[in-house]
Amino acid sequence: IMVGVVVATMSYVMGGYSLPFAFSIFTAQFIGIMTAGFTGTLAPLLFTFIFKRDSGKWGGPLETAVQDVLGTFAMIVVTYHIMLMFGPFELEPNDICSPADVE
């Protein structure tokens, strides 16, 4: 939880003091960290006792793949829905960066 709080605080400040943005980043981090703990605990048990395989050999790639997929899902889909809960934000022409704006 503390990692999520630290990252949310940084995103709050760096995101222009946007509370919805900070909350969405916290939620995505929380889901990613919980997934990592769950798959890190479950994978060795699953491969050792159910599939009768070497958990060190099979667990690493599977854990990494599951954590990456669910972390990306949390960051994109959950963040999108959280931002929608706080209201639709309209884009204005001056919101889009162009090469002429960067100097």
Side-chain angles (χ1 to χ4, degrees):
I1 293 177
M2 285 306 297
V3 172
V5 170
V6 169
V7 173
T9 303
M10 290 179 1
S11 64
Y12 175 73
V13 173
M14 295 175 77
Y17 301 101
S18 172
L19 192 59
F21 179 67
F23 180 66
S24 64
I25 296 298
F26 168 76
T27 304
Q29 284 290 314
F30 182 77
I31 291 171
I33 292 168
M34 287 289 137
T35 301
F38 182 72
T39 58
T41 303
L42 187 65
L45 298 173
L46 182 73
F47 281 113
T48 301
F49 296 114
I50 294 179
F51 294 121
K52 306 291 187 213
R53 303 279 184 197
D54 181 20
S55 63
K57 180 180 174 183
W58 289 92
L62 178 71
E63 290 176 48
T64 304
V66 169
Q67 291 168 13
D68 287 347
V69 168
L70 291 178
T72 303
F73 171 81
M75 185 58 80
I76 294 172
V77 176
V78 174
T79 300
Y80 173 75
H81 287 291
I82 289 173
M83 296 297 280
L84 281 181
M85 284 192 312
F86 287 97
F89 299 105
E90 298 295 325
L91 288 178
E92 297 181 15
N94 60 354
D95 288 339
I96 299 172
C97 291
S98 68
D101 294 335
V102 180
E103 290 187 21

Coordinates of all heavy atoms in Angstrom, one line a residue:
I1 N 0.8 -1.2 0.0 CA 0.0 0.0 0.0 C 0.9 1.3 0.0 O 0.5 2.2 -0.6 CB -1.0 0.0 1.2 CG1 -2.0 -1.1 1.0 CG2 -1.7 1.3 1.3 CD1 -2.9 -1.3 2.2
M2 N 2.0 1.2 0.7 CA 2.9 2.4 0.8 C 3.5 2.7 -0.6 O 3.6 3.9 -0.9 CB 4.0 2.1 1.8 CG 3.5 2.2 3.2 SD 2.7 3.8 3.6 CE 3.9 5.0 3.4
V3 N 3.8 1.8 -1.4 CA 4.3 2.1 -2.7 C 3.2 2.8 -3.5 O 3.5 3.8 -4.2 CB 4.8 0.8 -3.4 CG1 5.1 1.0 -4.9 CG2 5.9 0.1 -2.7
G4 N 2.0 2.3 -3.4 CA 0.9 3.0 -4.1 C 0.7 4.4 -3.6 O 0.4 5.3 -4.4
V5 N 0.8 4.6 -2.3 CA 0.7 6.0 -1.8 C 1.8 6.9 -2.3 O 1.5 8.0 -2.7 CB 0.6 5.9 -0.2 CG1 0.7 7.3 0.4 CG2 -0.6 5.2 0.2
V6 N 3.0 6.4 -2.3 CA 4.1 7.2 -2.7 C 4.0 7.6 -4.2 O 4.1 8.7 -4.6 CB 5.5 6.5 -2.5 CG1 6.6 7.2 -3.2 CG2 5.7 6.4 -1.0
V7 N 3.6 6.6 -5.0 CA 3.5 6.8 -6.5 C 2.3 7.7 -6.7 O 2.3 8.6 -7.6 CB 3.3 5.5 -7.2 CG1 3.0 5.7 -8.7 CG2 4.6 4.7 -7.1
A8 N 1.2 7.6 -6.0 CA 0.0 8.4 -6.1 C 0.3 9.9 -5.7 O -0.1 10.8 -6.4 CB -1.1 7.9 -5.3
T9 N 1.1 10.0 -4.7 CA 1.5 11.4 -4.3 C 2.3 12.1 -5.3 O 2.1 13.2 -5.7 CB 2.3 11.3 -2.9 OG1 1.5 10.7 -1.9 CG2 2.7 12.7 -2.5
M10 N 3.3 11.3 -5.9 CA 4.1 11.9 -7.0 C 3.2 12.2 -8.2 O 3.4 13.2 -8.8 CB 5.2 10.9 -7.4 CG 6.3 10.8 -6.3 SD 7.7 9.7 -6.6 CE 7.4 8.9 -8.2
S11 N 2.3 11.3 -8.6 CA 1.4 11.6 -9.7 C 0.5 12.7 -9.4 O 0.1 13.4 -10.4 CB 0.7 10.3 -10.1 OG -0.2 9.9 -9.1
Y12 N 0.1 12.9 -8.2 CA -0.8 14.1 -7.8 C 0.0 15.4 -8.1 O -0.6 16.3 -8.7 CB -1.2 13.9 -6.4 CG -2.0 15.1 -5.9 CD1 -3.3 15.3 -6.3 CD2 -1.4 16.0 -5.0 CE1 -4.1 16.4 -5.8 CE2 -2.2 17.1 -4.5 CZ -3.5 17.3 -4.9 OH -4.2 18.3 -4.5
V13 N 1.2 15.4 -7.6 CA 2.0 16.7 -7.8 C 2.4 16.9 -9.3 O 2.2 17.9 -9.9 CB 3.2 16.6 -6.9 CG1 4.2 17.8 -7.2 CG2 2.8 16.6 -5.5
M14 N 2.9 15.8 -9.9 CA 3.3 15.9 -11.3 C 2.2 16.0 -12.3 O 2.3 16.4 -13.4 CB 4.2 14.7 -11.7 CG 5.5 14.8 -10.8 SD 6.5 13.3 -11.1 CE 7.2 13.8 -12.7
G15 N 1.0 15.6 -11.9 CA -0.2 15.6 -12.8 C -1.0 16.9 -12.6 O -2.2 16.9 -13.0
G16 N -0.4 17.9 -12.1 CA -1.1 19.2 -12.0 C -2.1 19.2 -10.9 O -3.2 19.8 -11.0
Y17 N -1.8 18.5 -9.8 CA -2.7 18.4 -8.6 C -4.1 17.8 -8.9 O -5.1 18.3 -8.5 CB -2.8 19.7 -7.9 CG -1.4 20.2 -7.4 CD1 -0.8 21.2 -8.2 CD2 -0.8 19.7 -6.3 CE1 0.5 21.6 -7.8 CE2 0.4 20.1 -5.9 CZ 1.1 21.1 -6.7 OH 2.3 21.5 -6.3
S18 N -4.1 16.8 -9.8 CA -5.3 16.1 -10.2 C -5.6 14.9 -9.3 O -4.9 13.9 -9.3 CB -5.2 15.7 -11.6 OG -6.3 14.9 -12.0
L19 N -6.6 15.0 -8.4 CA -6.9 13.9 -7.5 C -7.4 12.7 -8.3 O -7.0 11.5 -7.9 CB -7.9 14.4 -6.5 CG -8.2 13.4 -5.4 CD1 -6.9 13.2 -4.6 CD2 -9.2 14.0 -4.4
P20 N -8.3 12.8 -9.3 CA -8.7 11.6 -10.1 C -7.5 10.8 -10.7 O -7.4 9.6 -10.7 CB -9.6 12.1 -11.2 CG -10.1 13.4 -10.7 CD -9.0 14.0 -9.8
F21 N -6.5 11.6 -11.2 CA -5.3 11.0 -11.8 C -4.5 10.2 -10.7 O -4.1 9.1 -10.9 CB -4.5 12.0 -12.5 CG -3.2 11.5 -13.1 CD1 -3.3 10.6 -14.2 CD2 -2.0 11.8 -12.6 CE1 -2.1 10.1 -14.8 CE2 -0.8 11.3 -13.2 CZ -0.9 10.5 -14.3
A22 N -4.3 10.9 -9.6 CA -3.6 10.2 -8.5 C -4.3 9.0 -8.0 O -3.6 7.9 -7.7 CB -3.3 11.2 -7.4
F23 N -5.6 9.0 -7.9 CA -6.4 7.9 -7.4 C -6.3 6.7 -8.4 O -6.2 5.6 -8.0 CB -7.8 8.3 -7.1 CG -8.7 7.2 -6.6 CD1 -8.4 6.6 -5.4 CD2 -9.7 6.7 -7.4 CE1 -9.2 5.6 -4.9 CE2 -10.5 5.6 -6.9 CZ -10.2 5.1 -5.7
S24 N -6.4 7.1 -9.7 CA -6.3 6.0 -10.7 C -4.9 5.3 -10.7 O -4.8 4.1 -10.8 CB -6.7 6.5 -12.0 OG -5.7 7.5 -12.5
I25 N -3.9 6.1 -10.5 CA -2.5 5.5 -10.5 C -2.4 4.7 -9.2 O -1.8 3.6 -9.3 CB -1.5 6.6 -10.5 CG1 -1.5 7.4 -11.8 CG2 -0.1 6.1 -10.3 CD1 -1.2 6.5 -13.0
F26 N -2.9 5.1 -8.1 CA -2.8 4.4 -6.8 C -3.6 3.0 -7.0 O -3.0 2.0 -6.6 CB -3.5 5.1 -5.7 CG -3.7 4.3 -4.5 CD1 -2.6 3.9 -3.6 CD2 -4.9 3.8 -4.2 CE1 -2.8 3.1 -2.5 CE2 -5.1 3.0 -3.0 CZ -4.1 2.7 -2.2
T27 N -4.7 3.1 -7.6 CA -5.5 1.8 -7.8 C -4.8 0.8 -8.7 O -4.8 -0.4 -8.4 CB -6.9 2.2 -8.4 OG1 -7.5 3.1 -7.5 CG2 -7.8 0.9 -8.5
A28 N -4.2 1.4 -9.8 CA -3.5 0.5 -10.7 C -2.3 -0.1 -10.0 O -2.0 -1.3 -10.2 CB -3.1 1.3 -12.0
Q29 N -1.6 0.7 -9.3 CA -0.4 0.1 -8.5 C -0.8 -0.9 -7.5 O -0.2 -1.9 -7.3 CB 0.4 1.3 -7.8 CG 1.2 2.1 -8.8 CD 2.4 1.4 -9.3 OE1 3.1 0.7 -8.5 NE2 2.6 1.5 -10.6
F30 N -1.9 -0.6 -6.8 CA -2.4 -1.6 -5.8 C -2.8 -2.9 -6.4 O -2.4 -4.0 -5.9 CB -3.6 -0.9 -5.1 CG -4.1 -1.8 -4.0 CD1 -3.5 -1.9 -2.8 CD2 -5.3 -2.5 -4.2 CE1 -4.0 -2.7 -1.8 CE2 -5.8 -3.3 -3.1 CZ -5.2 -3.4 -1.9
I31 N -3.5 -2.9 -7.5 CA -3.9 -4.1 -8.2 C -2.6 -4.9 -8.7 O -2.5 -6.1 -8.6 CB -4.8 -3.8 -9.4 CG1 -6.2 -3.3 -8.8 CG2 -5.0 -5.0 -10.3 CD1 -7.1 -2.8 -9.9
G32 N -1.7 -4.1 -9.3 CA -0.5 -4.8 -9.8 C 0.3 -5.4 -8.6 O 0.8 -6.5 -8.8
I33 N 0.5 -4.8 -7.5 CA 1.2 -5.3 -6.4 C 0.5 -6.5 -5.8 O 1.1 -7.5 -5.4 CB 1.5 -4.2 -5.4 CG1 2.5 -3.2 -6.0 CG2 2.1 -4.8 -4.1 CD1 2.7 -1.9 -5.2
M34 N -0.8 -6.4 -5.6 CA -1.6 -7.5 -5.1 C -1.5 -8.7 -6.0 O -1.4 -9.9 -5.6 CB -3.0 -7.1 -4.9 CG -3.2 -6.2 -3.7 SD -3.0 -7.2 -2.2 CE -2.1 -6.2 -1.2
T35 N -1.5 -8.5 -7.3 CA -1.4 -9.6 -8.3 C -0.1 -10.3 -8.2 O 0.1 -11.5 -8.3 CB -1.6 -9.0 -9.7 OG1 -2.9 -8.5 -9.8 CG2 -1.5 -10.1 -10.8
A36 N 1.0 -9.4 -8.0 CA 2.3 -10.0 -7.9 C 2.5 -10.9 -6.7 O 3.0 -12.0 -6.7 CB 3.4 -8.9 -7.9
G37 N 1.9 -10.4 -5.6 CA 1.9 -11.2 -4.3 C 1.1 -12.5 -4.5 O 1.6 -13.6 -4.0
F38 N 0.0 -12.4 -5.1 CA -0.9 -13.6 -5.3 C -0.2 -14.6 -6.2 O -0.2 -15.8 -5.9 CB -2.2 -13.1 -5.8 CG -3.2 -14.3 -6.0 CD1 -3.8 -14.9 -4.9 CD2 -3.6 -14.7 -7.3 CE1 -4.7 -15.9 -5.0 CE2 -4.4 -15.8 -7.4 CZ -5.0 -16.4 -6.3
T39 N 0.3 -14.2 -7.4 CA 0.9 -15.1 -8.3 C 2.2 -15.7 -7.8 O 2.5 -16.8 -8.0 CB 1.1 -14.5 -9.7 OG1 1.9 -13.4 -9.6 CG2 -0.3 -14.2 -10.3
G40 N 2.9 -14.8 -7.0 CA 4.2 -15.3 -6.4 C 4.0 -16.4 -5.4 O 4.8 -17.2 -5.2
T41 N 2.8 -16.3 -4.7 CA 2.5 -17.3 -3.7 C 1.9 -18.6 -4.4 O 2.2 -19.7 -4.0 CB 1.6 -16.8 -2.7 OG1 2.1 -15.6 -2.1 CG2 1.2 -17.8 -1.6
L42 N 1.0 -18.4 -5.3 CA 0.2 -19.5 -5.9 C 1.0 -20.3 -6.9 O 0.8 -21.5 -6.9 CB -1.0 -18.9 -6.5 CG -2.1 -19.9 -7.0 CD1 -2.6 -20.7 -5.8 CD2 -3.2 -19.2 -7.8
A43 N 1.8 -19.7 -7.7 CA 2.5 -20.4 -8.8 C 3.4 -21.6 -8.3 O 3.3 -22.7 -8.9 CB 3.3 -19.4 -9.7
P44 N 4.2 -21.4 -7.3 CA 5.0 -22.5 -6.9 C 4.1 -23.7 -6.3 O 4.4 -24.9 -6.6 CB 5.9 -22.0 -5.8 CG 6.0 -20.5 -6.0 CD 4.7 -20.2 -6.6
L45 N 3.1 -23.3 -5.6 CA 2.2 -24.4 -5.1 C 1.5 -25.1 -6.2 O 1.3 -26.3 -6.2 CB 1.2 -23.8 -4.1 CG 1.7 -23.1 -2.9 CD1 0.6 -22.4 -2.1 CD2 2.4 -24.1 -2.0
L46 N 1.0 -24.3 -7.2 CA 0.3 -24.9 -8.3 C 1.2 -25.8 -9.1 O 0.8 -27.0 -9.4 CB -0.2 -23.8 -9.2 CG -1.1 -24.1 -10.4 CD1 -2.4 -24.6 -10.0 CD2 -1.2 -22.9 -11.3
F47 N 2.4 -25.4 -9.4 CA 3.2 -26.3 -10.3 C 3.8 -27.4 -9.5 O 4.0 -28.5 -10.1 CB 4.4 -25.4 -10.8 CG 4.0 -24.6 -12.0 CD1 3.9 -23.2 -11.9 CD2 3.6 -25.2 -13.2 CE1 3.5 -22.5 -13.0 CE2 3.2 -24.5 -14.3 CZ 3.2 -23.1 -14.2
T48 N 4.1 -27.3 -8.2 CA 4.6 -28.4 -7.4 C 3.6 -29.5 -7.1 O 3.9 -30.7 -7.4 CB 5.3 -27.9 -6.1 OG1 6.3 -26.9 -6.5 CG2 5.9 -29.0 -5.3
F49 N 2.5 -29.1 -6.6 CA 1.5 -30.1 -6.1 C 0.5 -30.5 -7.1 O 0.0 -31.6 -7.1 CB 0.8 -29.5 -4.8 CG 1.8 -29.3 -3.7 CD1 2.1 -28.1 -3.2 CD2 2.5 -30.4 -3.1 CE1 3.0 -27.9 -2.2 CE2 3.4 -30.2 -2.1 CZ 3.6 -28.9 -1.6
I50 N 0.1 -29.7 -8.0 CA -1.0 -30.1 -9.0 C -0.4 -30.6 -10.3 O -0.8 -31.6 -10.8 CB -1.9 -28.9 -9.2 CG1 -2.6 -28.6 -7.9 CG2 -2.9 -29.2 -10.3 CD1 -3.6 -27.4 -8.0
F51 N 0.6 -29.8 -10.9 CA 1.1 -30.3 -12.2 C 2.4 -31.1 -12.0 O 2.9 -31.6 -13.0 CB 1.5 -29.0 -13.0 CG 0.2 -28.3 -13.4 CD1 0.1 -26.9 -13.1 CD2 -0.8 -28.8 -14.1 CE1 -1.0 -26.2 -13.4 CE2 -1.9 -28.1 -14.5 CZ -2.0 -26.8 -14.2
K52 N 2.9 -31.3 -10.8 CA 4.1 -32.2 -10.6 C 5.3 -31.7 -11.4 O 5.9 -32.6 -12.0 CB 3.8 -33.6 -10.8 CG 2.6 -34.2 -10.0 CD 2.8 -34.2 -8.6 CE 1.7 -34.9 -7.9 NZ 1.4 -34.4 -6.6
R53 N 5.5 -30.5 -11.5 CA 6.6 -29.9 -12.3 C 7.5 -29.1 -11.4 O 7.2 -28.8 -10.2 CB 6.1 -28.9 -13.4 CG 5.1 -29.5 -14.3 CD 5.8 -30.3 -15.4 NE 4.9 -30.8 -16.4 CZ 5.1 -31.7 -17.2 NH1 6.3 -32.3 -17.2 NH2 4.2 -32.1 -18.1
D54 N 8.7 -28.8 -11.9 CA 9.7 -28.0 -11.1 C 9.2 -26.6 -11.1 O 9.1 -25.9 -12.1 CB 11.0 -28.1 -11.8 CG 12.1 -27.3 -11.0 OD1 11.9 -27.0 -9.8 OD2 13.1 -26.9 -11.7
S55 N 8.8 -26.1 -9.9 CA 8.2 -24.8 -9.7 C 9.2 -23.7 -10.1 O 8.8 -22.6 -10.5 CB 7.7 -24.6 -8.3 OG 8.7 -24.6 -7.4
G56 N 10.5 -23.9 -9.8 CA 11.5 -22.9 -10.2 C 11.7 -22.7 -11.7 O 11.9 -21.6 -12.1
K57 N 11.5 -23.7 -12.4 CA 11.6 -23.7 -13.9 C 10.4 -23.1 -14.5 O 10.5 -22.3 -15.5 CB 11.9 -25.1 -14.4 CG 12.0 -25.2 -15.9 CD 12.3 -26.6 -16.3 CE 12.3 -26.8 -17.8 NZ 12.5 -28.2 -18.1
W58 N 9.2 -23.5 -14.0 CA 8.0 -23.1 -14.7 C 7.3 -21.8 -14.1 O 6.6 -21.1 -14.8 CB 7.0 -24.2 -14.6 CG 7.3 -25.4 -15.5 CD1 8.1 -26.4 -15.2 CD2 7.0 -25.5 -16.9 NE1 8.2 -27.3 -16.3 CE2 7.6 -26.7 -17.3 CE3 6.3 -24.7 -17.8 CZ2 7.5 -27.1 -18.6 CZ3 6.2 -25.2 -19.1 CH2 6.8 -26.4 -19.5
G59 N 7.6 -21.6 -12.8 CA 6.9 -20.5 -12.1 C 7.3 -19.1 -12.6 O 6.5 -18.2 -12.8
G60 N 8.6 -18.9 -12.8 CA 9.1 -17.6 -13.2 C 8.5 -17.0 -14.4 O 7.9 -15.8 -14.4
P61 N 8.5 -17.6 -15.6 CA 7.9 -17.1 -16.8 C 6.4 -16.9 -16.7 O 5.9 -15.9 -17.2 CB 8.2 -18.1 -17.9 CG 9.4 -18.8 -17.4 CD 9.3 -18.9 -15.9
L62 N 5.7 -17.8 -16.0 CA 4.3 -17.7 -15.9 C 3.9 -16.5 -15.0 O 3.0 -15.7 -15.3 CB 3.7 -19.0 -15.4 CG 2.2 -18.9 -15.1 CD1 1.4 -18.9 -16.5 CD2 1.7 -20.0 -14.3
E63 N 4.6 -16.4 -13.9 CA 4.4 -15.3 -12.9 C 4.6 -13.9 -13.6 O 3.8 -13.0 -13.5 CB 5.3 -15.4 -11.7 CG 5.0 -16.5 -10.8 CD 6.0 -16.6 -9.7 OE1 6.3 -15.5 -9.1 OE2 6.5 -17.7 -9.4
T64 N 5.7 -13.8 -14.4 CA 6.0 -12.6 -15.0 C 4.9 -12.2 -16.1 O 4.5 -11.1 -16.2 CB 7.3 -12.7 -15.7 OG1 8.3 -13.0 -14.7 CG2 7.7 -11.4 -16.4
A65 N 4.5 -13.2 -16.8 CA 3.5 -13.0 -17.9 C 2.1 -12.6 -17.2 O 1.5 -11.6 -17.7 CB 3.3 -14.2 -18.7
V66 N 1.7 -13.3 -16.2 CA 0.4 -12.9 -15.6 C 0.5 -11.5 -14.9 O -0.4 -10.7 -15.1 CB 0.1 -14.0 -14.5 CG1 -1.1 -13.5 -13.7 CG2 -0.3 -15.3 -15.2
Q67 N 1.6 -11.2 -14.3 CA 1.8 -9.9 -13.6 C 1.8 -8.8 -14.7 O 1.2 -7.8 -14.4 CB 3.0 -9.9 -12.8 CG 3.0 -10.8 -11.6 CD 4.3 -11.0 -10.9 OE1 5.3 -10.3 -11.2 NE2 4.4 -11.9 -10.0
D68 N 2.4 -9.0 -15.8 CA 2.5 -8.0 -16.8 C 1.1 -7.8 -17.4 O 0.7 -6.6 -17.6 CB 3.5 -8.4 -17.9 CG 4.9 -8.2 -17.4 OD1 5.2 -7.6 -16.4 OD2 5.8 -8.8 -18.1
V69 N 0.4 -8.8 -17.7 CA -0.9 -8.7 -18.4 C -1.9 -8.0 -17.4 O -2.6 -7.1 -17.8 CB -1.4 -10.1 -18.8 CG1 -2.9 -10.0 -19.2 CG2 -0.6 -10.6 -20.0
L70 N -1.9 -8.5 -16.2 CA -2.9 -7.9 -15.2 C -2.5 -6.5 -14.8 O -3.4 -5.6 -14.6 CB -3.1 -8.8 -14.0 CG -3.8 -10.1 -14.3 CD1 -3.9 -10.9 -13.0 CD2 -5.2 -9.8 -14.8
G71 N -1.2 -6.2 -14.7 CA -0.8 -4.8 -14.4 C -1.1 -3.9 -15.5 O -1.5 -2.7 -15.3
T72 N -0.9 -4.3 -16.8 CA -1.3 -3.5 -17.9 C -2.8 -3.3 -18.0 O -3.2 -2.2 -18.3 CB -0.7 -4.1 -19.2 OG1 0.7 -4.3 -19.1 CG2 -1.0 -3.2 -20.4
F73 N -3.5 -4.3 -17.7 CA -5.0 -4.2 -17.7 C -5.4 -3.2 -16.7 O -6.3 -2.4 -16.9 CB -5.6 -5.6 -17.4 CG -7.1 -5.6 -17.1 CD1 -8.0 -5.5 -18.2 CD2 -7.6 -5.6 -15.9 CE1 -9.3 -5.5 -18.0 CE2 -8.9 -5.6 -15.6 CZ -9.8 -5.5 -16.7
A74 N -4.8 -3.3 -15.5 CA -5.2 -2.4 -14.4 C -4.9 -1.0 -14.8 O -5.7 0.0 -14.6 CB -4.5 -2.8 -13.1
M75 N -3.7 -0.8 -15.4 CA -3.3 0.6 -15.7 C -4.2 1.2 -16.8 O -4.5 2.4 -16.7 CB -1.8 0.6 -16.2 CG -1.3 1.9 -16.4 SD -1.3 3.0 -15.0 CE 0.1 2.5 -14.1
I76 N -4.6 0.4 -17.7 CA -5.3 1.0 -18.9 C -6.8 1.0 -18.6 O -7.5 2.0 -18.6 CB -5.0 0.2 -20.2 CG1 -3.6 0.5 -20.5 CG2 -5.9 0.7 -21.3 CD1 -3.1 -0.4 -21.7
V77 N -7.4 -0.2 -18.3 CA -8.9 -0.3 -18.2 C -9.4 0.3 -16.9 O -10.4 1.1 -16.9 CB -9.3 -1.7 -18.4 CG1 -10.8 -1.9 -18.2 CG2 -8.9 -2.3 -19.7
V78 N -8.8 0.0 -15.8 CA -9.3 0.5 -14.5 C -9.1 2.0 -14.4 O -10.0 2.7 -14.0 CB -8.6 -0.3 -13.3 CG1 -9.0 0.3 -12.0 CG2 -9.0 -1.7 -13.4
T79 N -7.9 2.5 -14.9 CA -7.7 3.9 -14.9 C -8.7 4.6 -15.8 O -9.2 5.7 -15.4 CB -6.3 4.2 -15.3 OG1 -5.4 3.5 -14.4 CG2 -6.0 5.7 -15.3
Y80 N -9.0 4.1 -16.9 CA -10.0 4.7 -17.8 C -11.3 4.8 -17.1 O -11.9 5.9 -17.2 CB -10.1 3.8 -19.1 CG -11.2 4.3 -20.0 CD1 -11.0 5.4 -20.8 CD2 -12.4 3.6 -20.1 CE1 -12.0 5.8 -21.6 CE2 -13.4 4.0 -20.9 CZ -13.2 5.1 -21.7 OH -14.2 5.5 -22.6
H81 N -11.8 3.8 -16.4 CA -13.1 3.8 -15.8 C -13.1 4.8 -14.6 O -14.1 5.4 -14.3 CB -13.5 2.4 -15.4 CG -14.0 1.6 -16.6 ND1 -15.1 1.9 -17.3 CD2 -13.4 0.6 -17.2 CE1 -15.2 1.0 -18.3 NE2 -14.2 0.2 -18.2
I82 N -12.0 4.8 -13.9 CA -11.9 5.7 -12.7 C -12.0 7.2 -13.2 O -12.7 8.0 -12.7 CB -10.6 5.5 -11.9 CG1 -10.8 4.2 -11.1 CG2 -10.4 6.6 -10.9 CD1 -9.5 3.7 -10.4
M83 N -11.2 7.5 -14.3 CA -11.3 8.8 -14.8 C -12.6 9.2 -15.4 O -13.1 10.3 -15.3 CB -10.2 9.0 -15.9 CG -8.8 8.8 -15.5 SD -8.3 10.1 -14.3 CE -7.9 11.4 -15.4
L84 N -13.4 8.2 -15.9 CA -14.7 8.5 -16.4 C -15.7 8.8 -15.2 O -16.7 9.5 -15.4 CB -15.3 7.3 -17.2 CG -14.8 7.2 -18.6 CD1 -15.4 6.0 -19.3 CD2 -15.1 8.5 -19.4
M85 N -15.4 8.1 -14.1 CA -16.3 8.4 -12.9 C -16.2 9.9 -12.4 O -17.2 10.4 -11.9 CB -15.9 7.5 -11.7 CG -16.3 6.1 -11.8 SD -16.2 5.2 -10.3 CE -14.6 5.5 -9.7
F86 N -15.1 10.5 -12.7 CA -15.0 11.9 -12.3 C -15.4 12.9 -13.3 O -15.3 14.1 -13.1 CB -13.5 12.2 -11.9 CG -13.1 11.5 -10.6 CD1 -12.4 10.3 -10.6 CD2 -13.4 12.1 -9.4 CE1 -12.1 9.7 -9.4 CE2 -13.0 11.5 -8.2 CZ -12.4 10.3 -8.2
G87 N -16.0 12.3 -14.4 CA -16.6 13.2 -15.4 C -15.8 13.2 -16.7 O -14.6 13.0 -16.7
P88 N -16.5 13.4 -17.8 CA -15.9 13.4 -19.1 C -15.1 14.8 -19.2 O -15.7 15.8 -18.9 CB -17.0 13.3 -20.1 CG -18.2 13.8 -19.4 CD -18.0 13.4 -17.9
F89 N -13.9 14.7 -19.6 CA -13.1 15.9 -19.8 C -13.0 16.2 -21.3 O -12.6 15.3 -22.0 CB -11.8 15.8 -19.2 CG -11.8 15.6 -17.7 CD1 -11.6 14.3 -17.2 CD2 -12.2 16.6 -16.8 CE1 -11.6 14.1 -15.8 CE2 -12.2 16.4 -15.5 CZ -12.0 15.2 -14.9
E90 N -13.4 17.4 -21.7 CA -13.4 17.7 -23.1 C -11.9 18.2 -23.5 O -11.3 18.9 -22.7 CB -14.4 18.8 -23.4 CG -15.8 18.4 -23.2 CD -16.2 17.3 -24.1 OE1 -15.8 17.3 -25.3 OE2 -17.0 16.5 -23.7
L91 N -11.5 17.8 -24.6 CA -10.2 18.3 -25.1 C -10.4 19.7 -25.8 O -11.3 19.8 -26.6 CB -9.6 17.3 -26.1 CG -9.0 16.0 -25.5 CD1 -8.5 15.1 -26.6 CD2 -7.9 16.3 -24.5
E92 N -9.5 20.5 -25.6 CA -9.5 21.8 -26.2 C -8.3 21.9 -27.2 O -7.3 21.2 -26.9 CB -9.5 22.9 -25.2 CG -10.7 22.9 -24.3 CD -10.7 24.1 -23.3 OE1 -10.0 25.0 -23.5 OE2 -11.5 24.0 -22.4
P93 N -8.4 22.7 -28.2 CA -7.3 22.8 -29.1 C -5.9 23.0 -28.5 O -4.9 22.6 -29.0 CB -7.6 23.9 -30.1 CG -9.1 23.9 -30.0 CD -9.5 23.6 -28.6
N94 N -5.9 23.8 -27.4 CA -4.6 24.1 -26.8 C -4.1 23.0 -25.8 O -3.0 23.2 -25.2 CB -4.6 25.5 -26.1 CG -5.7 25.5 -25.0 OD1 -6.5 24.6 -24.9 ND2 -5.8 26.6 -24.3
D95 N -4.9 21.9 -25.7 CA -4.4 20.8 -24.8 C -3.5 19.9 -25.5 O -2.8 19.1 -24.9 CB -5.6 20.0 -24.4 CG -6.5 20.7 -23.4 OD1 -6.0 21.6 -22.7 OD2 -7.7 20.3 -23.2
I96 N -3.4 19.9 -26.8 CA -2.6 19.0 -27.6 C -1.3 19.6 -27.9 O -1.1 20.7 -28.4 CB -3.3 18.6 -28.9 CG1 -4.7 18.0 -28.6 CG2 -2.5 17.7 -29.8 CD1 -5.5 17.7 -29.8
C97 N -0.2 18.8 -27.6 CA 1.2 19.3 -27.8 C 1.5 19.1 -29.3 O 1.2 18.1 -29.9 CB 2.2 18.5 -27.0 SG 2.0 18.8 -25.2
S98 N 2.2 20.1 -29.8 CA 2.7 20.0 -31.1 C 4.2 20.4 -31.1 O 4.6 20.9 -30.1 CB 1.9 21.0 -32.1 OG 2.2 22.3 -31.7
P99 N 4.9 20.0 -32.1 CA 6.3 20.3 -32.1 C 6.6 21.8 -31.9 O 7.6 22.2 -31.4 CB 6.8 19.9 -33.5 CG 5.9 18.8 -33.9 CD 4.5 19.2 -33.3
A100 N 5.7 22.7 -32.4 CA 5.9 24.1 -32.2 C 5.8 24.6 -30.8 O 6.3 25.6 -30.4 CB 4.9 24.9 -33.1
D101 N 5.0 23.8 -29.9 CA 4.8 24.2 -28.5 C 6.0 23.8 -27.7 O 6.2 24.4 -26.6 CB 3.6 23.4 -28.0 CG 2.3 23.9 -28.6 OD1 2.3 25.0 -29.1 OD2 1.3 23.1 -28.6
V102 N 6.9 22.9 -28.1 CA 8.0 22.4 -27.3 C 9.2 23.3 -27.7 O 9.7 23.3 -28.8 CB 8.3 21.0 -27.6 CG1 9.5 20.5 -26.8 CG2 7.0 20.1 -27.3
E103 N 9.7 24.0 -26.7 CA 10.9 24.8 -26.9 C 11.8 24.8 -25.7 O 11.4 24.7 -24.6 CB 10.6 26.2 -27.3 CG 10.0 26.2 -28.7 CD 9.8 27.6 -29.2 OE1 10.4 28.6 -28.7 OE2 9.0 27.8 -30.1

